[in-house]
Amino acid sequence: GAGVSQSPSNKVTEKGKDVELRCDPISGHTALYWYRQSLGQGLEFLIYFQGNSAPDKSGLPSDRFSAERTGGSVSTLTIQRTQQEDSAVYLCASSLSGTGVRQPQHFGDGTRLSIL
Amino acid sequence: AQSVTQLGSHVSVSEGALVLLRCNYSSSVPPYLFWYVQYPNQGLQLLLKYTSAATLVKGINGFEAEFKKSETSFHLTKPSAHMSDAAEYFCAVSASDTGRRALTFGSGTRLQVQP
């Protein structure tokens, strides 16, 4: 389809392992966002990419979290040495332009991450 | 900085009744405001947005919201609830200037529709 695609849809892993979550934005969308949705914290911003500009990493909760966006398209969110508090749904969104914040963000269905 | 407060984590209405979901915002610059809906195991779907044009905004599925600057509110309404409206609803704000682009979300309101 033409929407934001995230994979995997579900991920179960053991505490201490590294995980990679993938986001494929809508074609032509230059802005890409990662959010985390958890029971205790609601929806939290993690990181934002806009074109070739330096990403806004102000929402990353610790240095175990990192993200990259290759070729201005697909993005990968990596969590190293996972902890149980990392269990959440990780949502990716994209929009036409970050400079025009009128443009709404379109969300994927998320990756549900469970840390055992 | 921006913030959003959604009053009522759970709202229950009867089918055919008025739906009113409350959202108040705080923003140091003129805000852009959004309502999103989330169905179980799905991402967020945009219902409507306010971006400084008309203060009464119409969205999908019969929903609308009115921006009231004096009350710093952006409440979501629908005249007649349908069973398919049962979902979680999120109000969100972003800055209209060149500041932070990301959305700041409220804590969400779960709407239950009784037959």
Side-chain angles (χ1 to χ4, degrees):
Chain A
V4 176
S5 178
Q6 291 188 246
S7 61
S9 55
N10 285 281
K11 177 73 175 178
V12 181
T13 192
E14 293 179 347
K15 177 181 171 181
K17 300 283 190 182
D18 297 352
V19 295
E20 284 190 353
L21 312 179
R22 176 189 168 104
C23 173
D24 202 340
I26 294 172
S27 178
H29 280 194
T30 58
L32 187 147
Y33 306 77
W34 283 98
Y35 295 88
R36 179 169 69 175
Q37 186 175 25
S38 55
L39 278 176
Q41 302 298 324
L43 274 155
E44 304 171 279
F45 163 72
L46 296 177
I47 188 169
Y48 157 66
F49 296 90
Q50 170 55 40
N52 295 322
S53 302
D56 175 358
K57 303 180 182 179
S58 60
L60 294 179
S62 77
D63 58 8
R64 297 187 294 105
F65 288 72
S66 62
E68 59 180 28
R69 188 178 185 193
T70 54
S73 182
V74 172
S75 177
T76 302
L77 177 69
T78 301
I79 309 174
Q80 296 178 307
R81 305 180 303 280
T82 52
Q83 303 294 314
Q84 287 188 330
E85 61 262 29
D86 300 334
S87 295
V89 176
Y90 290 82
L91 292 166
C92 177
S94 68
S95 68
L96 271 173
S97 169
T99 54
V101 292
R102 296 167 181 259
Q103 300 296 338
Q105 296 176 27
H106 299 265
F107 285 79
D109 286 343
T111 293
R112 184 174 298 276
L113 177 63
S114 300
I115 309 299
L116 303 178
Chain B
Q2 300 92 37
S3 66
V4 174
T5 301
Q6 291 184 240
L7 293 175
S9 58
H10 289 80
V11 170
S12 182
V13 301
S14 299
E15 191 173 18
L18 171 72
V19 176
L20 170 61
L21 304 183
R22 299 178 185 275
C23 172
N24 287 88
Y25 70 91
S26 172
S27 179
S28 55
V29 297
Y32 290 153
L33 295 158
F34 306 83
W35 275 100
Y36 282 87
V37 60
Q38 186 177 35
Y39 298 100
N41 299 315
Q42 294 186 23
L44 280 73
Q45 179 182 2
L46 180 71
L47 277 177
L48 48 80
K49 62 178 182 178
Y50 166 76
T51 56
S52 76
T55 56
L56 182 61
V57 181
K58 294 187 183 298
I60 63 171
N61 301 340
F63 284 93
E64 63 181 37
E66 186 172 8
F67 173 71
K68 292 186 176 181
K69 184 178 178 180
S70 61
E71 298 178 8
T72 61
S73 69
F74 190 58
H75 302 330
L76 182 71
T77 60
K78 182 174 180 177
S80 176
H82 191 272
M83 296 295 291
S84 61
D85 294 328
E88 189 150 21
Y89 292 79
F90 293 92
C91 183
V93 63
S94 69
S96 61
D97 63 0
T98 55
R100 180 174 167 132
R101 311 262 188 255
L103 293 169
T104 299
F105 288 91
S107 54
T109 298
R110 185 168 298 279
L111 176 66
Q112 192 173 23
V113 182
Q114 306 284 359

mmCIF file of all heavy atoms in Angstrom, chain B residues 68-104:
data_model
loop_
_atom_site.group_PDB
_atom_site.id
_atom_site.type_symbol
_atom_site.label_atom_id
_atom_site.label_comp_id
_atom_site.label_asym_id
_atom_site.label_seq_id
_atom_site.Cartn_x
_atom_site.Cartn_y
_atom_site.Cartn_z
ATOM 1 N N LYS B 68 -10.797 27.528 20.086
ATOM 2 C CA LYS B 68 -11.184 28.705 20.865
ATOM 3 C C LYS B 68 -9.957 29.233 21.591
ATOM 4 O O LYS B 68 -9.553 28.685 22.631
ATOM 5 C CB LYS B 68 -12.296 28.349 21.867
ATOM 6 C CG LYS B 68 -13.629 28.015 21.214
ATOM 7 C CD LYS B 68 -14.716 27.819 22.255
ATOM 8 C CE LYS B 68 -16.067 27.573 21.596
ATOM 9 N NZ LYS B 68 -17.156 27.393 22.583
ATOM 10 N N LYS B 69 -9.402 30.297 21.039
ATOM 11 C CA LYS B 69 -8.165 30.838 21.590
ATOM 12 C C LYS B 69 -8.372 31.337 23.024
ATOM 13 O O LYS B 69 -7.514 31.131 23.882
ATOM 14 C CB LYS B 69 -7.661 31.978 20.702
ATOM 15 C CG LYS B 69 -6.331 32.555 21.129
ATOM 16 C CD LYS B 69 -5.880 33.636 20.173
ATOM 17 C CE LYS B 69 -4.557 34.247 20.623
ATOM 18 N NZ LYS B 69 -4.110 35.316 19.682
ATOM 19 N N SER B 70 -9.518 31.969 23.261
ATOM 20 C CA SER B 70 -9.762 32.545 24.591
ATOM 21 C C SER B 70 -9.835 31.472 25.671
ATOM 22 O O SER B 70 -9.544 31.742 26.840
ATOM 23 C CB SER B 70 -11.060 33.348 24.579
ATOM 24 O OG SER B 70 -12.158 32.514 24.248
ATOM 25 N N GLU B 71 -10.228 30.271 25.267
ATOM 26 C CA GLU B 71 -10.345 29.175 26.230
ATOM 27 C C GLU B 71 -9.195 28.174 26.082
ATOM 28 O O GLU B 71 -9.162 27.184 26.810
ATOM 29 C CB GLU B 71 -11.679 28.443 26.014
ATOM 30 C CG GLU B 71 -12.895 29.322 26.235
ATOM 31 C CD GLU B 71 -14.207 28.599 25.963
ATOM 32 O OE1 GLU B 71 -14.185 27.365 25.742
ATOM 33 O OE2 GLU B 71 -15.249 29.275 25.963
ATOM 34 N N THR B 72 -8.297 28.440 25.168
ATOM 35 C CA THR B 72 -7.193 27.508 24.817
ATOM 36 C C THR B 72 -7.720 26.085 24.708
ATOM 37 O O THR B 72 -7.176 25.143 25.293
ATOM 38 C CB THR B 72 -6.022 27.586 25.826
ATOM 39 O OG1 THR B 72 -6.475 27.216 27.142
ATOM 40 C CG2 THR B 72 -5.428 28.970 25.864
ATOM 41 N N SER B 73 -8.800 25.958 23.940
ATOM 42 C CA SER B 73 -9.423 24.641 23.811
ATOM 43 C C SER B 73 -9.568 24.239 22.348
ATOM 44 O O SER B 73 -9.586 25.085 21.442
ATOM 45 C CB SER B 73 -10.796 24.638 24.486
ATOM 46 O OG SER B 73 -11.712 25.455 23.767
ATOM 47 N N PHE B 74 -9.703 22.956 22.146
ATOM 48 C CA PHE B 74 -9.896 22.383 20.810
ATOM 49 C C PHE B 74 -10.688 21.087 21.003
ATOM 50 O O PHE B 74 -10.220 19.991 20.747
ATOM 51 C CB PHE B 74 -8.546 22.141 20.139
ATOM 52 C CG PHE B 74 -8.623 21.781 18.675
ATOM 53 C CD1 PHE B 74 -9.237 22.625 17.764
ATOM 54 C CD2 PHE B 74 -8.047 20.610 18.203
ATOM 55 C CE1 PHE B 74 -9.299 22.314 16.418
ATOM 56 C CE2 PHE B 74 -8.097 20.280 16.846
ATOM 57 C CZ PHE B 74 -8.732 21.133 15.965
ATOM 58 N N HIS B 75 -11.905 21.207 21.476
ATOM 59 C CA HIS B 75 -12.734 20.044 21.795
ATOM 60 C C HIS B 75 -13.260 19.377 20.536
ATOM 61 O O HIS B 75 -13.636 20.039 19.567
ATOM 62 C CB HIS B 75 -13.911 20.456 22.680
ATOM 63 C CG HIS B 75 -13.521 21.114 23.971
ATOM 64 N ND1 HIS B 75 -12.332 20.825 24.629
ATOM 65 C CD2 HIS B 75 -14.157 22.051 24.720
ATOM 66 C CE1 HIS B 75 -12.255 21.539 25.732
ATOM 67 N NE2 HIS B 75 -13.345 22.309 25.799
ATOM 68 N N LEU B 76 -13.354 18.072 20.590
ATOM 69 C CA LEU B 76 -13.820 17.255 19.460
ATOM 70 C C LEU B 76 -15.267 16.865 19.689
ATOM 71 O O LEU B 76 -15.613 16.417 20.791
ATOM 72 C CB LEU B 76 -12.952 16.003 19.340
ATOM 73 C CG LEU B 76 -13.264 15.045 18.194
ATOM 74 C CD1 LEU B 76 -12.862 15.663 16.854
ATOM 75 C CD2 LEU B 76 -12.536 13.713 18.396
ATOM 76 N N THR B 77 -16.101 17.019 18.669
ATOM 77 C CA THR B 77 -17.506 16.661 18.809
ATOM 78 C C THR B 77 -17.995 15.869 17.608
ATOM 79 O O THR B 77 -17.425 15.934 16.516
ATOM 80 C CB THR B 77 -18.397 17.909 18.970
ATOM 81 O OG1 THR B 77 -18.252 18.736 17.796
ATOM 82 C CG2 THR B 77 -18.028 18.711 20.197
ATOM 83 N N LYS B 78 -19.067 15.124 17.868
ATOM 84 C CA LYS B 78 -19.794 14.438 16.810
ATOM 85 C C LYS B 78 -21.243 14.380 17.256
ATOM 86 O O LYS B 78 -21.514 13.985 18.392
ATOM 87 C CB LYS B 78 -19.242 13.037 16.566
ATOM 88 C CG LYS B 78 -19.945 12.301 15.429
ATOM 89 C CD LYS B 78 -19.284 10.969 15.111
ATOM 90 C CE LYS B 78 -20.026 10.266 13.977
ATOM 91 N NZ LYS B 78 -19.371 8.996 13.575
ATOM 92 N N PRO B 79 -22.175 14.803 16.410
ATOM 93 C CA PRO B 79 -23.561 14.904 16.842
ATOM 94 C C PRO B 79 -24.188 13.576 17.276
ATOM 95 O O PRO B 79 -24.982 13.543 18.218
ATOM 96 C CB PRO B 79 -24.285 15.457 15.609
ATOM 97 C CG PRO B 79 -23.231 16.085 14.780
ATOM 98 C CD PRO B 79 -21.985 15.296 15.039
ATOM 99 N N SER B 80 -23.814 12.501 16.598
ATOM 100 C CA SER B 80 -24.482 11.224 16.845
ATOM 101 C C SER B 80 -23.444 10.104 16.799
ATOM 102 O O SER B 80 -22.886 9.798 15.736
ATOM 103 C CB SER B 80 -25.567 10.993 15.787
ATOM 104 O OG SER B 80 -26.170 9.727 15.937
ATOM 105 N N ALA B 81 -23.216 9.467 17.945
ATOM 106 C CA ALA B 81 -22.197 8.422 18.032
ATOM 107 C C ALA B 81 -22.634 7.147 17.333
ATOM 108 O O ALA B 81 -23.817 6.763 17.373
ATOM 109 C CB ALA B 81 -21.898 8.122 19.493
ATOM 110 N N HIS B 82 -21.655 6.501 16.737
ATOM 111 C CA HIS B 82 -21.881 5.205 16.099
ATOM 112 C C HIS B 82 -20.990 4.188 16.785
ATOM 113 O O HIS B 82 -19.928 4.539 17.322
ATOM 114 C CB HIS B 82 -21.533 5.321 14.605
ATOM 115 C CG HIS B 82 -21.972 4.148 13.793
ATOM 116 N ND1 HIS B 82 -21.202 3.028 13.623
ATOM 117 C CD2 HIS B 82 -23.124 3.934 13.102
ATOM 118 C CE1 HIS B 82 -21.861 2.154 12.870
ATOM 119 N NE2 HIS B 82 -23.012 2.686 12.539
ATOM 120 N N MET B 83 -21.420 2.943 16.757
ATOM 121 C CA MET B 83 -20.643 1.889 17.423
ATOM 122 C C MET B 83 -19.209 1.859 16.916
ATOM 123 O O MET B 83 -18.269 1.597 17.678
ATOM 124 C CB MET B 83 -21.291 0.521 17.202
ATOM 125 C CG MET B 83 -22.674 0.381 17.814
ATOM 126 S SD MET B 83 -22.660 0.489 19.612
ATOM 127 C CE MET B 83 -21.833 -1.038 20.040
ATOM 128 N N SER B 84 -19.026 2.162 15.645
ATOM 129 C CA SER B 84 -17.686 2.106 15.048
ATOM 130 C C SER B 84 -16.777 3.246 15.524
ATOM 131 O O SER B 84 -15.586 3.253 15.207
ATOM 132 C CB SER B 84 -17.786 2.149 13.523
ATOM 133 O OG SER B 84 -18.400 3.355 13.110
ATOM 134 N N ASP B 85 -17.327 4.198 16.281
ATOM 135 C CA ASP B 85 -16.510 5.289 16.811
ATOM 136 C C ASP B 85 -15.729 4.874 18.059
ATOM 137 O O ASP B 85 -14.867 5.634 18.524
ATOM 138 C CB ASP B 85 -17.393 6.497 17.158
ATOM 139 C CG ASP B 85 -18.040 7.124 15.936
ATOM 140 O OD1 ASP B 85 -17.422 7.092 14.855
ATOM 141 O OD2 ASP B 85 -19.188 7.623 16.066
ATOM 142 N N ALA B 86 -16.018 3.715 18.594
ATOM 143 C CA ALA B 86 -15.311 3.247 19.782
ATOM 144 C C ALA B 86 -13.835 3.075 19.463
ATOM 145 O O ALA B 86 -13.461 2.288 18.585
ATOM 146 C CB ALA B 86 -15.903 1.933 20.263
ATOM 147 N N ALA B 87 -12.996 3.834 20.149
ATOM 148 C CA ALA B 87 -11.560 3.860 19.878
ATOM 149 C C ALA B 87 -10.914 4.777 20.905
ATOM 150 O O ALA B 87 -11.582 5.318 21.788
ATOM 151 C CB ALA B 87 -11.284 4.376 18.467
ATOM 152 N N GLU B 88 -9.602 4.975 20.765
ATOM 153 C CA GLU B 88 -8.915 5.948 21.596
ATOM 154 C C GLU B 88 -8.603 7.177 20.757
ATOM 155 O O GLU B 88 -8.175 7.065 19.603
ATOM 156 C CB GLU B 88 -7.637 5.373 22.196
ATOM 157 C CG GLU B 88 -7.006 6.293 23.235
ATOM 158 C CD GLU B 88 -6.242 5.543 24.309
ATOM 159 O OE1 GLU B 88 -5.854 4.390 24.066
ATOM 160 O OE2 GLU B 88 -6.039 6.126 25.402
ATOM 161 N N TYR B 89 -8.810 8.339 21.343
ATOM 162 C CA TYR B 89 -8.652 9.598 20.637
ATOM 163 C C TYR B 89 -7.561 10.430 21.305
ATOM 164 O O TYR B 89 -7.523 10.563 22.523
ATOM 165 C CB TYR B 89 -9.979 10.371 20.629
ATOM 166 C CG TYR B 89 -11.033 9.692 19.790
ATOM 167 C CD1 TYR B 89 -11.741 8.601 20.294
ATOM 168 C CD2 TYR B 89 -11.300 10.100 18.497
ATOM 169 C CE1 TYR B 89 -12.690 7.952 19.517
ATOM 170 C CE2 TYR B 89 -12.246 9.461 17.713
ATOM 171 C CZ TYR B 89 -12.936 8.386 18.242
ATOM 172 O OH TYR B 89 -13.870 7.734 17.468
ATOM 173 N N PHE B 90 -6.690 10.971 20.457
ATOM 174 C CA PHE B 90 -5.574 11.760 20.949
ATOM 175 C C PHE B 90 -5.616 13.163 20.349
ATOM 176 O O PHE B 90 -5.738 13.322 19.128
ATOM 177 C CB PHE B 90 -4.238 11.106 20.577
ATOM 178 C CG PHE B 90 -3.985 9.807 21.274
ATOM 179 C CD1 PHE B 90 -4.365 8.612 20.686
ATOM 180 C CD2 PHE B 90 -3.352 9.781 22.510
ATOM 181 C CE1 PHE B 90 -4.133 7.405 21.317
ATOM 182 C CE2 PHE B 90 -3.113 8.580 23.153
ATOM 183 C CZ PHE B 90 -3.504 7.390 22.555
ATOM 184 N N CYS B 91 -5.469 14.137 21.211
ATOM 185 C CA CYS B 91 -5.297 15.515 20.786
ATOM 186 C C CYS B 91 -3.799 15.795 20.773
ATOM 187 O O CYS B 91 -3.056 15.283 21.621
ATOM 188 C CB CYS B 91 -6.004 16.443 21.777
ATOM 189 S SG CYS B 91 -5.953 18.183 21.360
ATOM 190 N N ALA B 92 -3.331 16.561 19.794
ATOM 191 C CA ALA B 92 -1.901 16.836 19.692
ATOM 192 C C ALA B 92 -1.676 18.266 19.228
ATOM 193 O O ALA B 92 -2.504 18.850 18.529
ATOM 194 C CB ALA B 92 -1.240 15.856 18.722
ATOM 195 N N VAL B 93 -0.525 18.808 19.607
ATOM 196 C CA VAL B 93 -0.166 20.178 19.245
ATOM 197 C C VAL B 93 1.243 20.205 18.682
ATOM 198 O O VAL B 93 2.093 19.402 19.073
ATOM 199 C CB VAL B 93 -0.266 21.102 20.485
ATOM 200 C CG1 VAL B 93 0.719 20.692 21.570
ATOM 201 C CG2 VAL B 93 -0.069 22.567 20.110
ATOM 202 N N SER B 94 1.469 21.095 17.723
ATOM 203 C CA SER B 94 2.831 21.372 17.283
ATOM 204 C C SER B 94 2.980 22.874 17.142
ATOM 205 O O SER B 94 1.999 23.604 17.047
ATOM 206 C CB SER B 94 3.165 20.662 15.970
ATOM 207 O OG SER B 94 2.433 21.212 14.900
ATOM 208 N N ALA B 95 4.216 23.311 17.124
ATOM 209 C CA ALA B 95 4.484 24.747 17.056
ATOM 210 C C ALA B 95 4.345 25.224 15.622
ATOM 211 O O ALA B 95 4.728 24.532 14.684
ATOM 212 C CB ALA B 95 5.880 25.038 17.580
ATOM 213 N N SER B 96 3.822 26.412 15.447
ATOM 214 C CA SER B 96 3.643 26.958 14.099
ATOM 215 C C SER B 96 4.888 27.695 13.619
ATOM 216 O O SER B 96 4.969 28.054 12.459
ATOM 217 C CB SER B 96 2.452 27.918 14.064
ATOM 218 O OG SER B 96 2.682 29.010 14.943
ATOM 219 N N ASP B 97 5.845 27.898 14.518
ATOM 220 C CA ASP B 97 7.048 28.609 14.092
ATOM 221 C C ASP B 97 8.108 27.596 13.680
ATOM 222 O O ASP B 97 7.805 26.423 13.454
ATOM 223 C CB ASP B 97 7.539 29.531 15.213
ATOM 224 C CG ASP B 97 7.943 28.762 16.458
ATOM 225 O OD1 ASP B 97 7.839 27.521 16.458
ATOM 226 O OD2 ASP B 97 8.355 29.399 17.423
ATOM 227 N N THR B 98 9.340 28.012 13.616
ATOM 228 C CA THR B 98 10.379 27.092 13.148
ATOM 229 C C THR B 98 10.949 26.259 14.283
ATOM 230 O O THR B 98 12.018 25.691 14.168
ATOM 231 C CB THR B 98 11.512 27.876 12.465
ATOM 232 O OG1 THR B 98 11.995 28.865 13.388
ATOM 233 C CG2 THR B 98 11.016 28.543 11.207
ATOM 234 N N GLY B 99 10.256 26.216 15.384
ATOM 235 C CA GLY B 99 10.726 25.437 16.519
ATOM 236 C C GLY B 99 10.458 23.962 16.357
ATOM 237 O O GLY B 99 10.506 23.410 15.267
ATOM 238 N N ARG B 100 10.154 23.333 17.465
ATOM 239 C CA ARG B 100 10.002 21.878 17.476
ATOM 240 C C ARG B 100 8.896 21.431 16.525
ATOM 241 O O ARG B 100 7.787 21.919 16.553
ATOM 242 C CB ARG B 100 9.670 21.452 18.890
ATOM 243 C CG ARG B 100 9.489 19.976 19.038
ATOM 244 C CD ARG B 100 9.306 19.647 20.482
ATOM 245 N NE ARG B 100 8.834 18.319 20.693
ATOM 246 C CZ ARG B 100 9.379 17.495 21.575
ATOM 247 N NH1 ARG B 100 10.387 17.883 22.309
ATOM 248 N NH2 ARG B 100 8.889 16.288 21.737
ATOM 249 N N ARG B 101 9.235 20.486 15.706
ATOM 250 C CA ARG B 101 8.312 20.006 14.691
ATOM 251 C C ARG B 101 7.443 18.862 15.193
ATOM 252 O O ARG B 101 6.372 18.623 14.672
ATOM 253 C CB ARG B 101 9.108 19.481 13.493
ATOM 254 C CG ARG B 101 10.165 20.427 13.013
ATOM 255 C CD ARG B 101 9.659 21.214 11.828
ATOM 256 N NE ARG B 101 10.737 21.985 11.237
ATOM 257 C CZ ARG B 101 10.863 23.280 11.384
ATOM 258 N NH1 ARG B 101 9.987 23.950 12.085
ATOM 259 N NH2 ARG B 101 11.870 23.923 10.826
ATOM 260 N N ALA B 102 7.955 18.120 16.139
ATOM 261 C CA ALA B 102 7.259 16.912 16.548
ATOM 262 C C ALA B 102 5.962 17.264 17.265
ATOM 263 O O ALA B 102 5.789 18.350 17.816
ATOM 264 C CB ALA B 102 8.144 16.089 17.477
ATOM 265 N N LEU B 103 5.048 16.336 17.235
ATOM 266 C CA LEU B 103 3.778 16.495 17.927
ATOM 267 C C LEU B 103 3.948 16.216 19.411
ATOM 268 O O LEU B 103 4.679 15.306 19.799
ATOM 269 C CB LEU B 103 2.742 15.531 17.357
ATOM 270 C CG LEU B 103 2.297 15.787 15.913
ATOM 271 C CD1 LEU B 103 1.480 14.607 15.402
ATOM 272 C CD2 LEU B 103 1.500 17.062 15.821
ATOM 273 N N THR B 104 3.244 17.014 20.209
ATOM 274 C CA THR B 104 3.106 16.723 21.624
ATOM 275 C C THR B 104 1.681 16.245 21.835
ATOM 276 O O THR B 104 0.731 16.961 21.498
ATOM 277 C CB THR B 104 3.392 17.965 22.478
ATOM 278 O OG1 THR B 104 4.733 18.400 22.248
ATOM 279 C CG2 THR B 104 3.207 17.659 23.960
#
